[in-house]
Amino acid sequence: MKFSARNVFRGKVKSLKKGPVNSEVTIEMPGGLEMVATVTTQSAENMGLAEGAETTALIKATQVMLVSE
């Protein structure tokens, strides 16, 4: 598979919170870093996402904004 995203993070699904429309997926990467993604529940089911499943997060964004008081 070829893709243009430069930020690739491989890990395992730590938790999956399914909702009626969207699901929240927490991915744990080597070293303990965690990332949380929101996908449609249908997509989570189609991909077979479940706790312990291997997955890859691809991030392609022109802007990432962080704000702190």
Side-chain angles (χ1 to χ4, degrees):
M1 178 184 317
K2 293 182 180 183
F3 48 85
S4 61
R6 302 261 185 213
N7 300 295
V8 179
F9 301 92
R10 291 179 176 83
K12 289 187 178 182
V13 176
K14 181 176 180 179
S15 68
L16 177 63
K17 297 177 187 173
K18 287 188 177 183
V21 177
N22 291 321
S23 293
E24 183 180 276
V25 185
T26 301
I27 303 164
E28 184 173 25
M29 287 153 278
L33 180 66
E34 293 182 1
M35 180 181 303
V36 179
T38 302
V39 298
T40 64
T41 298
Q42 184 66 53
S43 291
E45 291 171 358
N46 290 345
M47 290 186 286
L49 294 180
E51 288 186 18
E54 297 280 342
T55 191
T56 302
L58 305 175
I59 300 173
K60 183 171 182 172
T62 57
Q63 295 182 20
V64 175
M65 292 185 221
L66 301 176
V67 178
S68 180
E69 294 294 325

